[in-house]
């Protein structure tokens, strides 16, 4: 435990080297699964046998419900709506608006971060909110209200850690974080419920995800209820707000540590954006920047632990898996297996050149999960993130200060210390990245 909980996880991963191992965590004794062959079995080949339902999902369900974050017919109803809402066709139709939101959000960031350091996590969260607001809500809520929703979701999520770690404790028994969770969820309900009710009265005819959910049908053929819509919106916030903001924060940390990579991203941004505003087509042209983001997500996989429960007896390689066994898949550890990632702790965007990707095991890289529960928003996030990096670096020199940039173990992987971000118009100050 010298390196903290995350150091313990990394140590287990180094010792296991892809083997299935049992974690002895008191009464909680899950199997740790990291090898891509075993991951493929759980998420693809025998996916119907391995379902959500472990301690993490039981605790998370109190916040996100049983729609897109659950299993069964309600999950299918939500997924059908959100897959359509985040499809390539949707991104092509709304790409101009997304790119314009990125441009405006970067200008707002520059106004706050000019000549003085700001907290990167806070600012990346605010920036992400400016981009997802029209996509999620059709801009039905104001920027400040969107920020407040994000803060309450983060508070509620962080308050669930004890419940996730000690699933055997009944809910009637008070635990640390319970009061904060209840306060945050009450605020979320009070904020979102009138917005949803108003949108339903107005017909919900827009292209945003809230409108799509309001038009959606449940397994009984009836419209999705307001509570279902509200919980799905909260689940989207969990996946699309905090995780996105933390990934962008780690991108700035990595670029500061690797100025040669940052310089190449800047050159590509200058060539592609050519001094103009970001456009949706630029996202595909920013080839090297996409590789940089892919490598950031390899090293800092936000969904670092993905639990599943076996419904029936099975075998994982030569290891028996009795019905009811909890398995913990860890993309964070899979991304560090030397068998698939030589010198795995080295930051190297060349790992994602086309030839390297073709030659690698397809399940050696899964920052968005895989199988039926694969994240529906990955195309949106890639567009958003590469446009953010390119827009910032095409206009500003960026200085990054890191008090303690090592990750700490939470629901996602935030930095332990504050990451400071300062933006200076190009040519007017000393650049860091």
């Amino acid at each position: 435990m010298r390196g903290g909980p995350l150091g313990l996880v990394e140590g287990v991963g180094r010792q296991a080297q892809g083997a299935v191992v049992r974690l002895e965590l008191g009464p909680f004794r899950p199997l740790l699964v990291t090898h891509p062959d075993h991951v493929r079995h759980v998420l693809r080949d025998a996916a119907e046998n391995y379902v959500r339902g472990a301690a993490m999902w039981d605790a998370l369900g109190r916040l996100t419900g049983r729609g897109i974050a659950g299993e069964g017919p309600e999950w299918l109803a939500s997924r059908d709506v959100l897959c359509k809402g985040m499809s390539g066709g949707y991104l092509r139709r709304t790409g101009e608006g997304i790119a314009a939101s990125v441009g405006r959000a970067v200008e707002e960031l520059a106004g706050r971060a000019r000549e003085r350091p700001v907290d990167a996590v806070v600012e990346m969260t605010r920036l992400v909110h400016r981009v997802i607001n029209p996509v999620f809500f059709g801009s039905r809520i104001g920027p400040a209200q969107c920020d407040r929703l994000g803060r309450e979701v983060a508070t509620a999520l962080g308050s669930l850690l004890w419940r996730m770690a000690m699933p055997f404790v009944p809910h009637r028994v008070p635990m640390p974080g319970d009061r904060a969770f209840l306060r945050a969820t009450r605020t979320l309900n009070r904020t979102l419920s009138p917005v949803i009710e108003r949108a339903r009265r107005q017909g919900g005819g827009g292209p945003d995800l809230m409108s799509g959910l309001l038009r959606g049908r449940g397994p009984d053929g009836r419209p999705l209820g307001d509570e279902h819509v509200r919980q799905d919106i909260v689940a989207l916030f969990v996946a699309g707000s905090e995780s996105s903001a933390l990934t962008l924060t780690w991108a700035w940390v990595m670029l500061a540590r690797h100025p040669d990579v940052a310089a190449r991203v800047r050159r590509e941004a200058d060539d592609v954006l050519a001094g103009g505003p970001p456009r949706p087509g630029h996202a595909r042209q920013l080839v090297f920047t996409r590789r940089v983001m892919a490598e950031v997500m390899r090293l800092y996989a936000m969904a670092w632990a993905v639990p599943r429960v076996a419904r029936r007896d099975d075998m994982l390689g030569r290891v028996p898996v009795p019905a009811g066994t909890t398995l913990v898949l860890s993309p964070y550890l899979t991304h560090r297996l030397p068998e698939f990632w030589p010198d795995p702790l080295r930051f190297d965007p060349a790992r994602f050149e086309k030839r390297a990707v073709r030659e690698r095991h397809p399940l050696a890289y899964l920052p968005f999960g895989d199988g039926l529960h694969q994240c529906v928003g990955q195309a949106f996030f890639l567009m958003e993130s590469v446009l953010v990096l390119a827009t910032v670096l095409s206009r500003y020199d960026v200085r990054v200060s890191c008090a303690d940039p090592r990750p700490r173990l939470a629901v996602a992987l935030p930095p332990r210390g504050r990451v400071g971000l300062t933006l200076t118009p190009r040519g007017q100050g000393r650049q860091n990245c």
Side-chain angles (χ1 to χ4, degrees):
M1 290 292 289
R2 185 174 298 171
L6 187 59
L8 177 63
V9 170
E10 291 173 339
V12 171
R14 283 192 299 271
Q15 289 183 356
Q17 288 298 300
V20 178
V21 297
R22 185 174 297 282
L23 300 178
E24 301 285 354
L25 304 174
F28 185 46
R29 302 173 66 239
L31 294 179
L32 178 67
V33 179
T34 58
H35 195 282
D37 287 344
H38 300 149
V39 170
R40 177 166 53 196
H41 180 80
V42 173
L43 296 184
R44 291 188 184 180
D45 301 342
E48 76 286 347
N49 188 47
Y50 294 97
V51 297
R52 291 170 171 174
M56 173 182 172
W57 294 113
D58 289 342
L60 195 60
R62 298 175 61 205
L63 176 64
T64 59
R66 300 298 179 184
I68 193 60
E71 283 279 4
E74 291 186 343
W75 164 74
L76 285 171
S78 294
R79 184 169 178 84
D80 181 60
V81 170
L82 297 175
C83 279
K84 293 176 182 176
M86 302 297 281
S87 66
Y90 171 81
L91 293 179
R92 286 191 292 273
R93 292 192 304 274
T94 61
E96 291 290 348
I98 293 170
S101 295
V102 168
R104 289 192 295 269
V106 168
E107 288 304 308
E108 288 183 23
L109 167 65
R112 291 186 293 271
R114 190 168 297 178
E115 307 303 340
R116 63 183 181 87
V118 295
D119 188 307
V121 174
V122 171
E123 291 300 333
M124 289 301 101
T125 302
R126 184 180 282 128
L127 185 150
V128 166
H129 288 168
R130 300 302 178 267
V131 180
I132 66 175
N133 191 344
V135 176
F136 285 12
F137 302 110
S139 298
R140 292 183 179 91
I141 66 175
Q145 197 175 22
C146 192
D147 290 341
R148 186 181 183 190
L149 283 175
R151 288 194 297 271
E152 297 298 341
V153 167
T155 297
L157 196 61
S159 302
L160 288 173
L161 286 175
W162 281 96
R163 289 289 176 189
M164 292 179 181
M166 304 179 71
F168 47 85
V169 178
H171 283 230
R172 65 179 179 273
V173 178
M175 290 192 70
D178 283 357
R179 289 185 179 180
F181 176 83
L182 291 173
R183 284 195 300 268
T185 51
R186 281 196 296 267
T187 301
L188 288 170
N189 293 342
R190 286 197 301 266
T191 304
L192 282 174
S193 293
V195 177
I196 294 169
E197 292 168 4
R198 187 165 58 250
R200 195 182 289 281
R201 288 196 304 269
Q202 294 171 349
D208 56 281
L209 297 182
M210 180 181 284
S211 294
L213 288 167
L214 290 171
R215 294 191 297 268
R217 299 277 171 174
D220 57 1
R222 298 180 179 179
L224 299 177
D226 286 1
E227 183 178 6
H228 186 126
V229 173
R230 177 179 55 76
Q231 290 177 330
D232 273 359
I233 289 292
V234 171
L236 289 170
F237 246 101
V238 171
S241 175
E242 182 178 48
S243 295
S244 298
L246 290 175
T247 303
L248 283 166
T249 299
W250 285 117
W252 293 120
V253 172
M254 289 295 98
L255 290 177
R257 289 180 179 175
H258 303 275
D260 55 329
V261 175
R264 187 170 170 185
V265 172
R266 175 180 286 107
R267 288 195 299 270
E268 183 176 70
D270 290 345
D271 291 341
V272 173
L273 272 63
R279 304 293 298 273
H282 292 155
R284 289 197 173 275
Q285 298 173 42
L286 293 162
V287 175
F288 182 73
T289 308
R290 291 173 70 91
R291 292 174 187 161
V292 168
M293 286 307 308
E295 179 70 341
V296 170
M297 289 186 288
R298 181 187 71 83
L299 284 171
Y300 302 101
M302 291 298 110
W304 65 271
V306 180
R308 291 288 186 269
V309 174
R311 299 167 64 185
R312 300 180 302 275
D313 292 350
D314 194 17
M315 295 291 293
L316 200 54
R318 298 181 179 180
V319 178
V321 181
T325 299
T326 296
L327 293 80
V328 176
L329 287 67
S330 179
Y332 183 86
L333 297 179
T334 300
H335 295 173
R336 283 163 163 71
L337 291 176
E339 179 182 352
F340 306 98
W341 306 97
D343 193 5
L345 299 185
R346 178 169 54 89
F347 183 75
D348 182 9
R351 300 180 197 271
F352 293 92
E353 293 176 354
K354 288 184 178 179
R355 180 178 177 180
V357 172
R358 283 196 303 267
E359 294 175 350
R360 194 160 45 238
H361 193 299
L363 270 298
Y365 182 67
L366 58 159
F368 297 102
D370 194 78
L372 291 174
H373 289 285
Q374 189 171 32
C375 176
V376 299
Q378 58 181 306
F380 171 75
F381 173 70
L382 288 173
M383 171 188 281
E384 171 192 45
S385 61
V386 299
L387 290 181
V388 167
L389 291 191
T391 303
V392 170
L393 289 175
S394 70
R395 302 178 186 180
Y396 302 98
D397 291 329
V398 181
R399 296 185 63 188
V400 179
S401 57
C402 310
D404 185 354
R406 293 174 298 167
R408 63 178 172 84
L409 204 60
V411 177
L413 290 176
R416 292 187 187 182
R418 183 179 188 270
V419 177
L421 207 63
T422 306
L423 273 58
T424 306
R426 291 268 296 268
Q428 294 186 20
R430 185 180 61 180
Q431 73 180 51
N432 181 268
C433 69

